[in-house]
Amino acid sequence: MNSYADAHNEHERRDSRFFTGDNSELQKIKSKESLQKFVRHNRKKKAYSRLSYILILLVLSTLFLIICLAVFFKIKDVEVLGSTRYSTEELLDYCGIETGQSLYEVSSSDLAGLSDRFSYIRSARLTRKLPHTLIITIVEDEPSYYCELYGEYFVMSQELRVLERSNDEEKLKENGLIMLKLPEIDSAIIGHRLTFTSDSDDKYVTAYLNALDSSMLYKRVTAFDLRDKFDLKLICDSIYLVELAGGDDLPTKLTATAGVLATEEAFPEGVAAQIDMANPAMPSAIVNPSINISFDP
């Protein structure tokens, strides 16, 4: 007992060293501090309790929403828009999408492999039309070019994405595809962009094809030789061989070529010609039905 009393008295003395009032005032201060601690503790407890109620409500609401979506919004109709090469049935079969599934059970991840399996598909987007319709919007690549590799013809989009192989060059020409002569190729995989052995070749080929795509001459070009960036050549309308030299100022050279070919009196219909467009300010042409219209002598 004495030890307890001594400890209590020691505590009182320690507090009194920092307080100059009487003992009654000291007790008031201690009581006030205890009340403040209690109030703060009670507020925290209420805040945690309120947060717990909110979290429980959110979980229950989410579960209720999931159950509603699974039960009431089932797929009855599927619309595939934008696809001209593939049937709705084969696309849905590949994606594993069936009527009767929940409308929200199907996600964009189910469409992720479409471009690998169906090479002409560039992208696919999923939307829903409540209460029962699933809409798949397809964007397809258009064939623009072809090139010969390893004894086969590879059809490509404007971005040089490989779309298919073919053994019928005449059919490719009839479809208006431009034949490309390209620098060394590293790989040509269907569904993927053509890859070049050299990154510098990739850059200039891409730049020159972009220039061609945006020119007035594009629809008249039947072949484009890009093997040497300092010795570019075009064949237009299958009968005009155009020598462009380097690719500097290529848009200007293409525009000038379109203007020259528009001069009908200089180029009799159906007569072959060789056009020198190395200097677009001073073009020259040799019109002769016996001229060899090819990239190789």
Side-chain angles (χ1 to χ4, degrees), residues 12-274:
E12 293 288 343
R13 285 193 299 271
R14 187 168 56 251
D15 288 343
S16 63
R17 281 184 296 173
F18 302 100
F19 182 74
T20 57
D22 57 29
N23 287 335
S24 62
E25 291 181 2
L26 180 62
Q27 292 299 325
K28 288 180 182 179
I29 292 174
K30 289 183 178 180
S31 299
K32 186 176 180 181
E33 288 177 349
S34 299
L35 178 61
Q36 289 174 341
K37 288 180 180 179
F38 174 78
V39 170
R40 286 196 297 269
H41 176 72
N42 201 37
R43 284 177 179 172
K44 289 181 180 179
K45 186 175 180 180
K46 288 183 178 180
Y48 289 140
S49 178
R50 190 180 300 113
L51 180 60
S52 299
Y53 290 144
I54 292 173
L55 290 175
I56 292 172
L57 181 61
L58 287 174
V59 171
L60 292 176
S61 299
T62 302
L63 290 174
F64 177 75
L65 179 61
I66 291 173
I67 292 171
C68 288
L69 293 177
V71 173
F72 298 110
F73 299 102
K74 292 186 177 296
I75 300 173
K76 292 184 178 179
D77 301 300
V78 180
E79 298 178 8
V80 177
L81 309 178
S83 176
T84 59
R85 295 177 179 273
Y86 311 108
S87 68
T88 298
E89 290 73 19
E90 61 182 331
L91 294 177
L92 296 184
D93 183 63
Y94 178 79
C95 295
I97 298 173
E98 299 177 349
T99 55
Q101 286 181 278
S102 169
L103 198 61
Y104 287 88
E105 185 180 346
V106 180
S107 66
S108 298
S109 62
D110 294 304
L111 309 181
L114 278 176
S115 296
D116 294 329
R117 172 63 179 82
F118 305 98
S119 58
Y120 274 86
I121 294 179
R122 182 195 310 170
S123 63
R125 182 170 55 90
L126 184 72
T127 53
R128 303 171 182 88
K129 185 166 67 177
L130 298 180
H132 302 298
T133 303
L134 186 72
I135 301 173
I136 300 174
T137 303
I138 300 292
V139 177
E140 290 184 343
D141 271 322
E142 292 295 325
S144 298
Y145 309 111
Y146 74 92
C147 67
E148 184 180 0
L149 296 171
Y150 322 120
E152 292 182 291
Y153 299 103
F154 287 73
V155 177
M156 297 170 290
S157 67
Q158 283 191 338
E159 292 77 24
L160 297 183
R161 185 166 167 266
V162 182
L163 304 178
E164 64 173 298
R165 292 187 182 93
S166 175
N167 293 316
D168 190 349
E169 185 179 15
E170 290 304 316
K171 184 178 180 181
L172 300 179
K173 290 179 179 180
E174 290 172 4
N175 290 336
L177 304 188
I178 299 173
M179 189 270 286
L180 298 180
K181 291 285 189 179
L182 297 169
E184 187 175 354
I185 301 298
D186 187 48
S187 66
I189 302 173
I190 293 178
H192 298 268
R193 190 179 185 276
L194 200 71
T195 57
F196 295 87
T197 302
S198 167
D199 288 340
S200 61
D201 288 344
D202 191 334
K203 290 180 181 178
Y204 86 74
V205 168
T206 300
Y208 294 166
L209 287 179
N210 287 339
L212 176 64
D213 292 342
S214 59
S215 74
M216 296 184 296
L217 193 64
Y218 178 80
K219 291 184 178 181
R220 300 189 66 171
V221 174
T222 52
F224 194 1
D225 187 351
L226 292 148
R227 289 173 293 183
D228 185 345
K229 64 181 178 181
F230 300 109
D231 187 21
L232 304 175
K233 298 183 180 71
L234 288 173
I235 295 177
C236 298
D237 301 335
S238 300
I239 59 171
Y240 303 119
L241 177 62
V242 183
E243 297 179 339
L244 299 167
D248 296 338
D249 205 15
L250 184 59
T252 300
K253 293 180 178 181
L254 297 175
T255 300
T257 302
V260 168
L261 292 178
T263 310
E264 297 181 359
E265 60 272 16
F267 300 96
E269 184 176 355
V271 179
Q274 181 175 331

Side-chain angles (χ1 to χ4, degrees), residues 268-282:
E269 184 176 355
V271 179
Q274 181 175 331
I275 303 170
D276 184 353
M277 196 58 68
N279 182 358
M282 299 180 61

